[in-house]
Amino acid sequence: MKYLIWANFKMNKSTKELKEYLEVFKSKYACFLHIDLMIAPVTSGLWIASELLEWSCINLWSQNMYFEESWAYTWEISPSMLNELNCTYVIIWHSERRQYFNETNEFINKKVKAAISHRIRPILCIWESLEQKNKWLTKEVLKIQLIEGLWWVEDVSKVDIAYEPVWAIGTWETATPEYIEEIHDYIRELVWNDESRIIYGWSVKPDNSKQLISIKNVNWFLVWSASLDPESFLKIAEVE
Ligand code: PGA
């Protein structure tokens, strides 16, 4: 199984900044064969990133996608439009999509299936809130998200999973290595094939990535803040 590491820029970087970033990153990244490395720019940067990353070992990732092919869906982008941009992965259901844009399990399930049918590999994000964690509902919540997100997906090995302990945002709490191991083990029990990666996504930084990759069933990371600087993202990608 190849490790998976994803830089999600969220709504950051102008086209000029993105171009500068990719030029620096491409010139320094050693292209490890055991790692799938992805960069997910904002939608306005997909075209330039697609041109700059062509023939490189860095994959282009979209931060979102709609499940229909075309019609009156203002601001949306379809799977075949992502195919045109050589976008091979898509993030589905990042916690912010659910919190701020009210995406439901049923809605994201349509996206997962549409991505697979267009040969785009979805990364399905799952997570629990602080309230759910405090009520000891974490495992139940994650299980429901997986069941509903992957409903009628014939081949689950075509999907990767990202676990985000979002309850740690703005609190003094952090997920301990023991907690991360317990949750990743549990997800692995539910998603038991050998091809789906289970990646971890919260506060991954150059100084904690070594410890995090030593945790069983952490098949690497999704990174936001520490990915915005190419040197810091390189340190995480080259941690071994
Ligand atoms: P972070 O963000 O890497 O800054 O913790 C993670 C995320 O929101 O996906």
Side-chain angles (χ1 to χ4, degrees), residues 25 53 58 71 133 171 183 194:
F25 194 84
L53 298 180
I58 302 163
W71 197 238
K133 177 174 178 280
T171 69
I183 300 301
D194 288 337

Side-chain angles (χ1 to χ4, degrees), residues 181-239:
E181 181 165 338
E182 183 184 341
I183 300 301
H184 277 242
D185 281 355
Y186 176 68
I187 300 170
R188 176 56 71 205
E189 270 171 36
L190 300 175
V191 181
W192 44 265
N193 73 77
D194 288 337
E195 282 160 60
S196 299
R197 277 79 53 100
I198 303 169
I199 61 173
Y200 177 71
W202 204 257
S203 277
V204 179
K205 309 278 182 239
D207 55 6
N208 64 5
S209 50
K210 198 170 176 83
Q211 184 189 25
L212 288 167
I213 59 167
S214 67
I215 301 174
K216 193 170 134 256
N217 282 322
V218 170
N219 309 133
W220 286 43
F221 313 122
L222 65 91
V223 192
W224 170 50
S225 36
S227 74
L228 293 174
D229 169 50
E231 303 290 344
S232 131
F233 189 48
L234 271 169
K235 282 191 191 133
I236 299 174
E238 296 180 348
V239 63

Side-chain angles (χ1 to χ4, degrees), residues 122-141:
I123 284 81
L124 177 66
C125 299
I126 58 172
W127 46 276
E128 82 277 35
S129 66
L130 185 60
E131 195 188 349
Q132 290 161 339
K133 177 174 178 280
N134 288 343
K135 289 184 179 160
W136 300 93
L137 290 172
T138 297
K139 289 186 178 172
E140 201 167 322
V141 167

